[in-house]
Amino acid sequence: MNSPNINEMNKETNKAVLDLSEPSGELLEWAEENINENRDKKDLLISELKDMIYEKGECTPSRSDDEFLLRFLRARHFILNKAHRLYANYHNFIEDVPEYFTNVNLHTLSKIKKTNIFNCPLNRDQHGRRMLIFKIGEWVPSEFSPEQIMQFVIFIIQIGIMEPQTQIKGVVVIFDLSGLSLDMVWYMTPTLAKHLVNITVTSMPTRIEAAHMLYSSWIFDTAFSMIKVLIPNDVKERIHFHNDLDTLYTHIDQKLLPKSLGGAQKDFSLNMWYDCLMESDNGKIKAELENLGYQVQEFLDSRDN
């Protein structure tokens, strides 16, 4: 029996649920046409990627199971050399900036998710892509450091890419830049700019299909100038700037957006997502997060005490 559709489940329960079911035949057909995922050759490419990782020796692998390697192939349209480069970048990023990945304080992340900085609608866009909304004006640097925000973004990426459909279809990110201040921009050092590009473009096994910048200003332009030079041209083509919501609606069906962006959907904060997932009885989610180094069970036990 096929697993119920994620959106149907959300409408019935009003809870966040990761769709960990195997891709449908229709989705696999889309994958073959759009990201070169061939069911007959997939296992061979996974094996070849595994061999390439150990033969080239450009990183210290943390995992090489088929399910994990498949994320990198899907993120790079099953182009073997690009998938290998992404895999090496991912592991080298962990080695270069271990504080983003190691000994992450889930209690701090729990506090971040209670703010309105991030929003993730239950539904996907009209193309079946997950949407993540970042309201940068809600960030208070004195409460959460850039390092902690980066840890949180990586954490939610790691959760999101557990979904096969998100691996295949990719993600759409909406940056609400209203409220961006000079105080925030001061934190945009060249090192932080590089790390942002690592997370969004070069070093995480996810594919951002579109980034929408709402209400940009000269303040944002100042910060973005440091990031722009690090972004490949093909990725720049997926970045869209909007001075009003009407132009956003030409890219994303208005009725599928949350009410805070003029849509018809409930604003479902990451606070609600986080609680639903952490309290989920799906052992696979907890096991996956533990494999990635997050002390989930320890966090849950301490929270209950």
Side-chain angles (χ1 to χ4, degrees):
M1 180 180 296
N2 293 330
S3 298
N5 179 275
I6 183 68
N7 290 325
E8 291 175 355
M9 291 175 69
N10 287 334
K11 288 175 183 177
E12 292 173 4
T13 65
N14 201 33
K15 288 186 177 182
V17 184
L18 285 185
D19 184 4
L20 303 180
S21 60
E22 289 298 312
S24 65
E26 182 181 358
L27 182 57
L28 288 174
E29 287 179 10
W30 186 96
E32 185 166 2
E33 293 175 4
N34 292 274
I35 63 169
N36 306 310
E37 180 168 344
N38 186 305
R39 280 172 273 192
D40 297 327
K41 297 179 180 179
K42 182 170 65 177
D43 290 342
L44 175 61
L45 283 169
I46 291 173
S47 178
E48 289 181 352
L49 175 57
K50 188 179 300 184
D51 291 342
M52 185 178 289
I53 289 166
Y54 288 100
E55 287 172 5
K56 288 183 175 289
E58 295 181 7
C59 64
T60 303
S62 61
R63 289 172 57 182
S64 58
D65 56 279
D66 290 1
E67 184 177 334
F68 190 64
L69 295 183
L70 182 57
R71 299 173 185 178
F72 294 87
L73 286 164
R74 282 173 169 163
R76 290 298 180 264
H77 289 228
F78 283 80
I79 300 171
L80 195 58
N81 288 334
K82 290 186 177 182
H84 172 262
R85 172 48 43 210
L86 178 61
Y87 184 92
N89 286 349
Y90 171 79
H91 286 85
N92 291 330
F93 185 39
I94 293 173
E95 289 188 9
D96 292 343
V97 198
E99 59 268 27
Y100 289 166
F101 298 87
T102 306
N103 298 321
V104 174
N105 189 325
L106 293 183
H107 291 282
T108 299
L109 300 194
S110 182
K111 293 176 183 177
I112 294 175
K113 53 91 174 174
K114 293 178 181 177
T115 70
N116 293 319
I117 300 172
F118 297 98
N119 182 310
C120 184
L122 291 176
N123 58 289
R124 301 175 187 268
D125 76 354
Q126 69 271 24
H127 301 295
R129 304 175 297 194
R130 278 276 179 226
M131 295 180 282
L132 177 65
I133 301 165
F134 179 21
K135 299 180 180 180
I136 194 168
E138 298 287 341
W139 172 44
V140 180
S142 61
E143 294 182 0
F144 303 109
S145 68
E147 178 182 312
Q148 291 167 334
I149 295 297
M150 294 290 210
Q151 289 175 342
F152 190 85
V153 171
I154 290 170
F155 181 72
I156 59 179
I157 289 174
Q158 300 281 33
I159 290 175
I161 57 177
M162 292 182 200
E163 294 186 300
Q165 180 167 342
T166 299
Q167 296 171 20
I168 291 170
K169 287 291 187 103
V171 179
V172 174
V173 184
I174 301 172
F175 294 89
D176 183 344
L177 303 170
S178 58
L180 179 66
S181 68
L182 276 174
D183 288 342
M184 298 174 186
V185 171
W186 290 129
Y187 290 91
M188 184 55 69
T189 63
T191 298
L192 186 61
K194 182 177 182 296
H195 292 169
L196 280 170
V197 174
N198 286 137
I199 292 170
T200 58
V201 181
T202 65
S203 305
M204 294 295 293
T206 189
R207 197 175 65 253
I208 295 180
E209 287 293 335
H212 297 279
M213 308 295 184
L214 290 175
Y215 315 123
S216 62
S217 64
W218 69 269
I219 296 176
F220 171 75
D221 292 341
T222 300
F224 189 63
S225 63
M226 279 191 280
I227 302 172
K228 188 176 181 180
V229 296
L230 303 172
I231 300 175
N233 287 331
D234 63 318
V235 176
K236 290 177 185 175
E237 294 175 358
R238 293 181 239 148
I239 302 174
H240 309 278
F241 295 87
H242 309 279
N243 291 322
D244 56 52
L245 292 174
D246 288 338
T247 56
L248 176 65
Y249 301 153
T250 65
H251 295 267
I252 302 175
D253 190 332
Q254 180 180 356
K255 67 177 178 291
L256 298 177
L257 289 165
K259 292 179 181 178
S260 60
L261 292 177
Q265 306 301 318
K266 177 180 179 181
D267 283 271
F268 202 85
S269 71
L270 281 182
N271 186 27
M272 291 182 275
W273 267 99
Y274 193 97
D275 287 343
C276 288
L277 296 178
M278 284 298 183
E279 294 169 5
S280 168
D281 59 0
N282 189 322
K284 184 174 182 180
I285 296 173
K286 292 178 184 176
E288 178 67 16
L289 290 173
E290 293 274 353
N291 283 339
L292 291 167
Y294 297 104
Q295 302 301 314
V296 177
Q297 192 58 54
E298 181 180 309
F299 165 74
L300 292 173
D301 291 343
S302 65
R303 193 177 64 168
D304 292 338
N305 292 334

PDB file of all heavy atoms in Angstrom, residues 79 124 139 141 183 190 243 246 266 292:
ATOM      1  N   ILE A  79      25.117  13.746 -12.444  1.00  0.00           N
ATOM      2  CA  ILE A  79      26.404  13.946 -13.120  1.00  0.00           C
ATOM      3  C   ILE A  79      27.484  13.548 -12.128  1.00  0.00           C
ATOM      4  O   ILE A  79      27.685  14.210 -11.107  1.00  0.00           O
ATOM      5  CB  ILE A  79      26.564  15.407 -13.578  1.00  0.00           C
ATOM      6  CG1 ILE A  79      25.428  15.763 -14.548  1.00  0.00           C
ATOM      7  CG2 ILE A  79      27.931  15.625 -14.226  1.00  0.00           C
ATOM      8  CD1 ILE A  79      25.366  17.232 -14.901  1.00  0.00           C
ATOM      9  N   ARG A 124       3.572  22.294  -0.463  1.00  0.00           N
ATOM     10  CA  ARG A 124       4.636  22.630  -1.408  1.00  0.00           C
ATOM     11  C   ARG A 124       4.116  23.652  -2.427  1.00  0.00           C
ATOM     12  O   ARG A 124       2.929  23.969  -2.436  1.00  0.00           O
ATOM     13  CB  ARG A 124       5.111  21.366  -2.132  1.00  0.00           C
ATOM     14  CG  ARG A 124       5.646  20.295  -1.177  1.00  0.00           C
ATOM     15  CD  ARG A 124       5.976  19.019  -1.933  1.00  0.00           C
ATOM     16  NE  ARG A 124       6.327  17.945  -1.008  1.00  0.00           N
ATOM     17  CZ  ARG A 124       7.569  17.669  -0.615  1.00  0.00           C
ATOM     18  NH1 ARG A 124       8.582  18.390  -1.074  1.00  0.00           N
ATOM     19  NH2 ARG A 124       7.807  16.679   0.222  1.00  0.00           N
ATOM     20  N   TRP A 139      15.452  38.543  13.129  1.00  0.00           N
ATOM     21  CA  TRP A 139      16.659  38.076  13.812  1.00  0.00           C
ATOM     22  C   TRP A 139      17.205  39.167  14.728  1.00  0.00           C
ATOM     23  O   TRP A 139      17.382  40.309  14.318  1.00  0.00           O
ATOM     24  CB  TRP A 139      17.717  37.674  12.782  1.00  0.00           C
ATOM     25  CG  TRP A 139      19.062  37.349  13.380  1.00  0.00           C
ATOM     26  CD1 TRP A 139      19.314  36.609  14.489  1.00  0.00           C
ATOM     27  CD2 TRP A 139      20.340  37.772  12.884  1.00  0.00           C
ATOM     28  NE1 TRP A 139      20.669  36.520  14.723  1.00  0.00           N
ATOM     29  CE2 TRP A 139      21.324  37.224  13.753  1.00  0.00           C
ATOM     30  CE3 TRP A 139      20.745  38.529  11.785  1.00  0.00           C
ATOM     31  CZ2 TRP A 139      22.694  37.434  13.554  1.00  0.00           C
ATOM     32  CZ3 TRP A 139      22.106  38.739  11.582  1.00  0.00           C
ATOM     33  CH2 TRP A 139      23.059  38.194  12.465  1.00  0.00           C
ATOM     34  N   PRO A 141      20.517  39.795  16.692  1.00  0.00           N
ATOM     35  CA  PRO A 141      21.877  39.255  16.859  1.00  0.00           C
ATOM     36  C   PRO A 141      22.322  39.123  18.310  1.00  0.00           C
ATOM     37  O   PRO A 141      23.130  38.241  18.624  1.00  0.00           O
ATOM     38  CB  PRO A 141      22.747  40.266  16.101  1.00  0.00           C
ATOM     39  CG  PRO A 141      21.837  40.866  15.079  1.00  0.00           C
ATOM     40  CD  PRO A 141      20.500  40.939  15.758  1.00  0.00           C
ATOM     41  N   ASP A 183      23.028  47.101  11.639  1.00  0.00           N
ATOM     42  CA  ASP A 183      23.594  46.303  12.728  1.00  0.00           C
ATOM     43  C   ASP A 183      23.747  44.842  12.297  1.00  0.00           C
ATOM     44  O   ASP A 183      24.713  44.169  12.669  1.00  0.00           O
ATOM     45  CB  ASP A 183      22.690  46.373  13.963  1.00  0.00           C
ATOM     46  CG  ASP A 183      22.763  47.729  14.646  1.00  0.00           C
ATOM     47  OD1 ASP A 183      23.739  48.458  14.382  1.00  0.00           O
ATOM     48  OD2 ASP A 183      21.862  48.046  15.441  1.00  0.00           O
ATOM     49  N   PRO A 190      33.692  38.486   5.156  1.00  0.00           N
ATOM     50  CA  PRO A 190      33.998  37.605   4.013  1.00  0.00           C
ATOM     51  C   PRO A 190      33.916  36.123   4.369  1.00  0.00           C
ATOM     52  O   PRO A 190      33.467  35.310   3.559  1.00  0.00           O
ATOM     53  CB  PRO A 190      35.430  38.017   3.643  1.00  0.00           C
ATOM     54  CG  PRO A 190      35.535  39.447   4.071  1.00  0.00           C
ATOM     55  CD  PRO A 190      34.719  39.541   5.331  1.00  0.00           C
ATOM     56  N   ASN A 243      10.175  43.942  -5.438  1.00  0.00           N
ATOM     57  CA  ASN A 243       9.836  45.108  -4.612  1.00  0.00           C
ATOM     58  C   ASN A 243       8.417  45.040  -4.085  1.00  0.00           C
ATOM     59  O   ASN A 243       8.016  45.849  -3.254  1.00  0.00           O
ATOM     60  CB  ASN A 243      10.043  46.400  -5.414  1.00  0.00           C
ATOM     61  CG  ASN A 243      11.511  46.676  -5.686  1.00  0.00           C
ATOM     62  OD1 ASN A 243      12.359  46.430  -4.838  1.00  0.00           O
ATOM     63  ND2 ASN A 243      11.813  47.158  -6.885  1.00  0.00           N
ATOM     64  N   ASP A 246       3.322  41.150  -5.860  1.00  0.00           N
ATOM     65  CA  ASP A 246       2.726  40.782  -7.147  1.00  0.00           C
ATOM     66  C   ASP A 246       3.727  40.079  -8.053  1.00  0.00           C
ATOM     67  O   ASP A 246       3.367  39.123  -8.765  1.00  0.00           O
ATOM     68  CB  ASP A 246       2.164  42.022  -7.851  1.00  0.00           C
ATOM     69  CG  ASP A 246       0.900  42.541  -7.187  1.00  0.00           C
ATOM     70  OD1 ASP A 246       0.238  41.749  -6.488  1.00  0.00           O
ATOM     71  OD2 ASP A 246       0.578  43.732  -7.350  1.00  0.00           O
ATOM     72  N   LYS A 266      -2.083  28.676   6.070  1.00  0.00           N
ATOM     73  CA  LYS A 266      -1.741  29.043   7.434  1.00  0.00           C
ATOM     74  C   LYS A 266      -0.237  29.248   7.559  1.00  0.00           C
ATOM     75  O   LYS A 266       0.553  28.535   6.948  1.00  0.00           O
ATOM     76  CB  LYS A 266      -2.188  27.931   8.389  1.00  0.00           C
ATOM     77  CG  LYS A 266      -1.819  28.166   9.849  1.00  0.00           C
ATOM     78  CD  LYS A 266      -2.292  27.010  10.723  1.00  0.00           C
ATOM     79  CE  LYS A 266      -1.897  27.217  12.173  1.00  0.00           C
ATOM     80  NZ  LYS A 266      -2.335  26.095  13.045  1.00  0.00           N
ATOM     81  N   LEU A 292      23.920  11.810  11.991  1.00  0.00           N
ATOM     82  CA  LEU A 292      24.534  13.067  11.554  1.00  0.00           C
ATOM     83  C   LEU A 292      25.222  13.801  12.701  1.00  0.00           C
ATOM     84  O   LEU A 292      25.806  14.865  12.496  1.00  0.00           O
ATOM     85  CB  LEU A 292      23.474  13.966  10.917  1.00  0.00           C
ATOM     86  CG  LEU A 292      22.918  13.479   9.575  1.00  0.00           C
ATOM     87  CD1 LEU A 292      21.663  14.261   9.196  1.00  0.00           C
ATOM     88  CD2 LEU A 292      23.968  13.596   8.468  1.00  0.00           C
TER      89      LEU A 292
END
